[in-house]
Amino acid sequence: MSDDCVFCRISRGELPAKIVLEDEEALAFRDLNPQAPTHLLVIPRRHVESVDALEPSDQALAGHLLLLARKAAREEGLSEAGYRVVANIGSEGGQTVAHLHLHVLGGRPMSWPPG
Ligand code: 5GP
Ligand code: ZN
């Protein structure tokens, strides 16, 4: 847990967010600055800095986050057309919030490679 981490504060209900799914371990909410018609963020409640900070003991949590991303995408109606799940890691990876999050993007065709 981190007092000044924006995603920890969302997880604790101290900052508002449009939450679409939540449970004891994790939550999914809408990105403040969406890059696609549907843009969700899936985060663990526990403060983990990034995918790179995951430990072998976090295996269940890592799987849980992916399955929550899948569940949120299904509920948003993205499964048939397809969607993208992305984790930015560190400065060259484009990570701006240092609390692990999966982006779930959908509702338009995605290009590759990413910028
Ligand atoms: P990153 O660049 O770290 O991969 O992604 C961080 C994401 O968090 C960005 O897409 C940004 O729009 C989103 N974001 C930053 N602050 C907030 C916030 O306070 N609320 C919500 N809902 N999204 C945020
Ligand atoms: Zn945090």
Side-chain angles (χ1 to χ4, degrees):
M1 194 185 297
S2 168
D3 283 349
D4 54 0
C5 170
V6 64
F7 288 177
C8 281
R9 296 189 67 199
I10 287 173
S11 171
R12 294 197 296 264
E14 294 171 9
L15 284 178
K18 292 180 180 166
I19 295 172
V20 299
L21 276 178
E22 60 182 324
D23 60 27
E24 280 183 14
E25 299 285 322
L27 61 156
F29 55 94
R30 298 194 189 283
D31 196 293
L32 204 55
N33 182 25
Q35 302 301 313
T38 300
H39 186 172
L40 306 176
L41 299 172
V42 176
I43 69 166
R45 290 196 185 276
R46 174 159 62 86
H47 184 85
V48 177
E49 201 162 303
S50 74
V51 168
D52 194 62
L54 287 167
E55 303 281 351
S57 58
D58 294 321
Q59 185 167 334
L61 178 64
H64 187 73
L65 294 173
L66 265 185
L67 288 172
L68 198 68
R70 168 188 178 270
K71 187 174 182 185
R74 291 177 97 84
E75 290 194 3
E76 294 288 314
L78 301 177
S79 299
E80 194 177 334
Y83 57 98
R84 185 168 290 177
V85 176
V86 180
N88 297 324
I89 300 163
S91 59
E92 286 210 357
Q95 184 175 6
T96 60
V97 176
H99 180 128
L100 194 164
H101 49 284
L102 302 178
H103 295 262
V104 179
L105 298 142
R108 65 165 172 81
M110 301 287 153
S111 60
W112 192 264

